[in-house]
Amino acid sequence: MMRYDFDQRLDLRSSDCVRWRLYAEDVIPLWVADMDFVSPQPVIRALQERVAFGVFGYPEGAGGTEKEKLELRQVIVDRLRRLYQWKVVPEEIVFVPGVVPGLNLACHAVAEPGGAVLVQPPVYHPFLEAPHNAGMVRQDAQLTRLPDGSYEIDYDALSSTINDQTRMFILCNPHNPVGRVFRREELARLAEICLQRGLTIVSDEIHCDLVYSGCQHIPIACLDPEIARNTITLMAPSKTFNVPGLQFSFAVIQN
């Protein structure tokens, strides 16, 4: 098994990482989720091999040739089955240039005059902006902060916020920034509310691999086929392998 040195110090201020270039040198920037570690050697090796080829013409799109796209989709399908017992077929994988573009595309897909999108603040700020980018109204159902500093869902507030204009619910699981990995019963209750009210669920699950011991990430779409038919799940290798600069992610759309 390959071993990694997580004590290695890197001169990140000389890199193109925006986190390290925005503030003066006496500021330690902790405001965006990339790592201070080098990416895994298999990733670096694959990129070096591609660069060594030396030709950078117009590609066929994210994922490469049709054969390469099929192989990549199968890798994702196998991983989802192995980690989450989630049965997905390759045709249900859609490549997108990032989770944030995916959020915005989803909002545009359901957009209509006067329509609304439900979110759960405090949450990653692009969630707050995506509805407006699609000409939609944003509806906030605040998470409840407990005395110990943890957060939980206020289902009554969430249900009462939904109205005839609500078209979509954006879920963040694991949640950024409150750090919650939602339990199966929590996800099932959220899904029940959304299905009863006819909402599409868009679930940002980009942090799915970064959970503490004792926690298990559960994709909301894997709970039930009916939930899956009403859910767009967004994932990416960005957080797991520290490759956000590659600007690559995928959506799982089973309907």
Side-chain angles (χ1 to χ4, degrees):
M1 180 180 294
M2 189 174 296
R3 298 181 65 86
Y4 292 90
D5 179 9
F6 293 110
D7 293 321
Q8 179 185 1
R9 299 290 295 272
L10 303 171
D11 180 15
L12 293 168
R13 292 193 185 276
S14 64
S15 74
D16 62 355
C17 295
V18 64
R19 176 161 66 93
W20 286 95
R21 304 182 107 185
L22 193 62
Y23 299 107
E25 291 191 9
D26 61 343
V27 175
I28 299 175
L30 302 174
W31 62 277
V32 70
D34 57 10
M35 301 179 194
D36 296 339
F37 311 128
V38 296
S39 298
Q41 284 302 316
V43 173
I44 296 172
R45 185 166 57 250
L47 291 172
Q48 289 172 335
E49 291 173 357
R50 177 64 186 87
V51 169
F53 183 68
V55 176
F56 307 99
Y58 289 106
E60 293 190 46
T65 65
E66 287 305 316
K67 179 175 181 295
E68 291 166 338
K69 290 177 185 178
L70 181 59
E71 292 173 348
L72 178 55
R73 285 190 174 96
Q74 190 60 52
V75 168
I76 294 170
V77 165
D78 294 343
R79 181 178 178 84
L80 296 178
R81 181 183 295 112
R82 184 177 73 255
L83 294 181
Y84 311 117
Q85 295 74 56
W86 184 13
K87 295 181 180 179
V88 173
V89 299
E91 294 75 21
E92 295 167 343
I93 306 294
V94 178
F95 299 125
V96 291
V99 163
V100 172
L103 289 172
N104 282 273
L105 287 168
C107 287
H108 279 281
V110 303
E112 61 179 46
V117 177
L118 181 65
V119 299
Q120 292 179 303
V123 73
Y124 182 47
H125 68 89
F127 282 47
L128 307 178
E129 300 162 358
H132 301 304
N133 293 340
M136 305 271 275
V137 174
R138 191 186 84 218
Q139 298 173 324
D140 294 351
Q142 294 279 341
L143 294 172
T144 299
R145 188 177 187 273
L146 302 180
D148 64 0
S150 64
Y151 286 78
E152 66 178 18
I153 300 166
D154 184 336
Y155 296 99
D156 291 335
L158 186 138
S159 296
S160 63
T161 303
I162 299 171
N163 58 27
D164 291 341
Q165 283 69 51
T166 314
R167 296 290 175 264
M168 176 181 288
F169 167 59
I170 303 180
L171 170 67
C172 193
N173 178 40
H175 194 282
N176 176 13
V178 309
R180 279 297 315 280
V181 180
F182 293 115
R183 299 183 299 274
R184 181 177 296 273
E185 60 270 23
E186 293 176 300
L187 296 170
R189 190 168 177 186
L190 283 173
E192 181 182 14
I193 293 170
C194 291
L195 292 180
Q196 288 176 345
R197 305 296 289 273
L199 306 188
T200 299
I201 301 168
V202 176
S203 185
D204 172 3
E205 304 188 9
I206 195 172
H207 291 98
C208 59
D209 293 318
L210 303 179
V211 298
Y212 287 119
S213 177
C215 296
Q216 173 63 49
H217 174 71
I218 301 172
I220 192 170
C222 79
L223 295 180
D224 179 87
E226 185 180 4
I227 298 171
R229 285 192 293 271
N230 288 276
T231 299
I232 298 169
T233 303
L234 299 170
M235 293 178 163
S238 308
K239 308 304 182 186
T240 307
F241 303 111
N242 194 31
V243 289
L246 297 185
Q247 297 185 318
F248 173 82
S249 66
F250 62 91
V252 182
I253 304 174
Q254 296 183 277
N255 184 343

